[in-house]
Amino acid sequence: MAYLLSCHGTVVCHDPATGALTHCALAEAGALLDVGDLDERLQVGVGNFLRNDIFGLTLMLDSGPLAGWTVTRSAEVQALFVVRDGQYMTALADRADLVVAPDRPVFESAFVAIGDGDLAVLRGLLAGLWLTEADEAPVAAAMAPAFGVRIGGLPVDLRFNLPFDRTDWPNRLTVHTDVWRVRQIHRYRPLVYFVVFGDARVMRQFALSVAFLVTAGGYDGEILVITDKTPEGIQALLPAGVAVTLLPARAVDRVAYIAARYAIAEWRGAGDYQPLLYADADIVFDRPIAPMLREIALSDRVCAAAEPYRVADSPLVGSDLLADDHCPVAADRFGFNAGTLGIPNMVRHGQTMALIARTLRNRREVVERDSAGLVDQPIANYVAVRSGGFDTTVLSRYVRLSAAAADPAGRRGLVHFCWVPDADARIAAMTGYLAALSGHRA
């Protein structure tokens, strides 16, 4: 199927009852006029360039409401004209019905062809928020004159972008601006998720972390909680007006509690988000996290914060696993902390999360499930060495790893009290930091 878009960004529609042809906004379009399975003939492809016949199109339509009309391509506007008996089908800005223009065509007589897949992309563009090189904050897209789509400060001309490159859609879209300049836009629909199992002390840490997230962190997006708690139990911990999505899970021991963060790979809804940020419950957010989320979304790798331990000689970051596997590693390579994970999207990186979970499961078959020591962090570091796919520069700019009280003067995004050895002490550190942060702001 192929449809016609006007220079106004409207789509040609057909009323089968009356035969009337109109042009409507995409959001209002009803029965679209289908000119047939002509995408490849009506859109400019590589073959047209090779043959240098881009402007040689003459196609007689022999069926449908436009039977008897001829489609031609114009060198002046790089688009299509639909003509019969010297009259040109025309979409005027100030009227819904199509009219015919005399033998001297005007810009409003031009159209571009768009197929079902590309029409879905265009509607998706208009419905979402996007990250571009031209804008610091997420931006919306809107139709613009002259076959344009404006994505924040980025102008896109559909005449030079159809058919779309749908390789990474819906998370990323590569477009051309100024006819030939290549730009990439990234969808922005963030998700922050937590794992909450255990006693009241864990619940208290989670409650504090969420409170910091929506206040100092300035976050108003969606939150997911992987937990065995009831919806009522979780909701009672949240600040007024904050709602979360629960992903029920059953975890029988400490190993399961920690491994549950990788259950995100099996949640079908995870593919709807970009980026995703996993946060341990003992994290305090102390600055707006939007810049951090932006960098994660733009990354091509899973992001984690660097640890001050070398992978070659610290079991905390997988040295024993690498030794057992006879896997060489650079002496100056530092490991990362698995308490914060920035996942650009699950389409590209869900397999990495699933690989960590499967490797953890298989390793525990060898060393026994309840073996002492860290659970997933050595495994994640081992997988990173074996398969790549991790970045330790992005989150390291925003994350502080702490063993005690933290100074609000050094705040940069979040403090992870991962080195505080006791749950009660972590709660004290988090509440103490809250007081210090409030005093620092005052």
Side-chain angles (χ1 to χ4, degrees), residues 86-101:
Q87 301 289 306
Y88 289 79
M89 191 171 76
T90 302
L92 299 177
D94 58 355
R95 58 187 296 177
D97 58 313
L98 297 180
V99 300
V100 292

Side-chain angles (χ1 to χ4, degrees), residues 290-306:
M292 175 173 60
L293 295 175
R294 174 187 172 86
E295 287 204 57
I296 295 170
L298 298 179
S299 176
D300 285 321
R301 294 184 288 169
V302 177
C303 302

Side-chain angles (χ1 to χ4, degrees), residues 85-269:
D85 299 330
Q87 301 289 306
Y88 289 79
M89 191 171 76
T90 302
L92 299 177
D94 58 355
R95 58 187 296 177
D97 58 313
L98 297 180
V99 300
V100 292
D103 58 0
R104 185 174 181 83
V106 296
F107 195 68
E108 291 174 313
S109 301
F111 299 86
V112 294
I114 185 168
D116 275 322
D118 290 327
L119 189 61
V121 171
L122 186 56
R123 284 175 164 155
L125 275 175
L126 300 175
L129 291 176
W130 300 91
L131 301 172
T132 78
E133 295 180 16
D135 304 277
E136 291 187 6
V139 294
M143 301 302 295
F147 302 104
V149 179
R150 178 162 288 277
I151 308 166
L154 187 72
V156 174
D157 190 328
L158 293 175
R159 291 172 294 175
F160 302 100
N161 282 279
L162 291 175
F164 288 119
D165 175 1
R166 304 199 295 269
T167 304
D168 291 316
W169 180 260
N171 292 310
R172 302 181 182 191
L173 186 68
T174 301
V175 296
H176 285 90
T177 66
D178 300 323
V179 180
W180 66 273
R181 303 180 193 275
V182 176
R183 297 290 184 269
Q184 192 171 69
I185 63 171
H186 298 70
R187 186 173 59 144
Y188 186 76
R189 188 190 176 191
L191 177 75
V192 176
Y193 78 98
F194 297 86
V195 170
V196 182
F197 295 94
D199 59 24
R201 297 175 300 174
V202 174
M203 306 302 287
R204 175 60 176 157
Q205 292 173 49
F206 164 71
L208 287 168
S209 190
V210 173
F212 279 108
L213 173 65
V214 299
T215 53
Y219 182 71
D220 60 359
E222 296 184 54
I223 301 171
L224 174 75
V225 184
I226 300 174
T227 185
D228 60 354
K229 311 304 180 186
T230 65
E232 295 78 14
I234 292 294
Q235 195 62 47
L237 300 170
L238 303 177
V242 175
V244 301
T245 299
L246 263 59
L247 182 59
R250 181 173 177 266
V252 299
D253 56 15
R254 174 175 171 271
V255 171
Y257 297 167
I258 297 172
R261 71 196 65 187
Y262 302 102
I264 195 73
E266 296 184 349
W267 180 47
R268 293 183 179 179

Side-chain angles (χ1 to χ4, degrees), residues 300-315:
D300 285 321
R301 294 184 288 169
V302 177
C303 302
E307 286 261 13
Y309 307 115
R310 290 183 174 86
V311 178
D313 55 25
S314 175

